Amino acid sequence: MSKDEAGRVPSPEEPDKPEQPVPDVTPAGPETPTVPDVPPGPDIPDVPPIDPEPSPDPDVTPREEDVHEAQVHEAQVHEAEIVEPGAVDAGIVDSGVRAPTIEEITGYTADGVPTFESVREKIEQRSVTALGAEELAHATGAGRTLEEQYEERKAAAADRLAEIRRSLRSE
């Protein structure tokens, strides 16, 4: 016997009777309204849109000083190196600038091994963070109290050790 979704076995008298009613999915006829009647809303008068104020056109005429500077700049001669068309494509021209490698960018080799530089940077960053945290701890009141408590315990331990040594010598 099959079980329904709730895990119950249906009774033999009503095997296909669902517990929840099935929604009516029959198509609407021409006499059935598709949109329910909605009462009209309050009358709202039409308000014409407001036109923005026209802005005056900005003055785009160049100043005389600017025109003179542009003419002087165009008249200047610039020295440049003439490069053959195929030389750049062939890699003959060496500008001394190179693109960084994947290892330099990510800190890992192509095999996924971290580079020496990236490991060193991580270690330096952690040590600097630890030093900064230590300085902050000593700068706060709680850090100073802990340090004072430690010094008191250390002095008490040294006194007790000296007392034990004295008692052993006297025996």
Side-chain angles (χ1 to χ4, degrees), residues 17 20-21 31-32 39 49 59 64 74 78 87 90 98 103 120 124 132 137 144 150 161:
K17 181 179 174 187
Q20 303 234 351
E31 67 279 348
T32 309
D59 184 21
E64 291 181 23
E74 288 177 6
H78 297 284
R98 64 174 184 79
E103 293 175 355
R120 187 180 70 195
E124 288 175 356
R144 282 193 302 265
Y150 174 74
L161 182 61

Side-chain angles (χ1 to χ4, degrees), residues 110-153:
D111 297 330
V113 179
T115 61
F116 177 74
E117 290 295 319
S118 68
V119 172
R120 187 180 70 195
E121 287 176 12
K122 286 180 185 177
I123 292 171
E124 288 175 356
Q125 183 63 37
R126 288 181 184 173
S127 66
V128 167
T129 303
L131 288 174
E134 184 181 0
E135 287 178 13
L136 281 175
H138 289 294
T140 62
R144 282 193 302 265
T145 5
L146 287 175
E147 193 172 313
E148 291 168 0
Q149 289 175 358
Y150 174 74
E151 292 298 325
E152 288 174 7
R153 287 183 181 153

Side-chain angles (χ1 to χ4, degrees), residues 7-168:
R8 297 180 300 242
V9 179
S11 64
E13 303 89 44
E14 303 171 2
D16 295 324
K17 181 179 174 187
E19 291 185 19
Q20 303 234 351
V22 178
D24 185 20
V25 290
T26 56
E31 67 279 348
T32 309
T34 57
V35 177
D37 293 333
V38 178
D43 291 334
I44 300 175
D46 290 335
V47 178
I50 299 173
D51 293 330
E53 293 288 326
S55 61
D57 291 335
D59 184 21
V60 292
T61 55
R63 298 181 310 183
E64 291 181 23
E65 300 90 30
D66 294 339
V67 171
H68 179 68
E69 278 185 32
Q71 290 171 348
V72 169
H73 184 67
E74 288 177 6
Q76 292 177 345
V77 177
H78 297 284
E79 291 187 25
E81 179 183 353
I82 298 175
V83 179
E84 297 299 322
V88 174
D89 296 334
I92 298 173
V93 177
D94 185 22
S95 64
V97 178
R98 64 174 184 79
T101 63
I102 294 294
E103 293 175 355
E104 292 172 344
I105 295 172
T106 62
Y108 290 88
T109 64
D111 297 330
V113 179
T115 61
F116 177 74
E117 290 295 319
S118 68
V119 172
R120 187 180 70 195
E121 287 176 12
K122 286 180 185 177
I123 292 171
E124 288 175 356
Q125 183 63 37
R126 288 181 184 173
S127 66
V128 167
T129 303
L131 288 174
E134 184 181 0
E135 287 178 13
L136 281 175
H138 289 294
T140 62
R144 282 193 302 265
T145 5
L146 287 175
E147 193 172 313
E148 291 168 0
Q149 289 175 358
Y150 174 74
E151 292 298 325
E152 288 174 7
R153 287 183 181 153
K154 190 175 174 183
D159 291 342
R160 178 75 176 136
L161 182 61
E163 182 183 328
I164 292 171
R165 286 182 179 158
R166 280 192 304 261
S167 68
L168 288 174

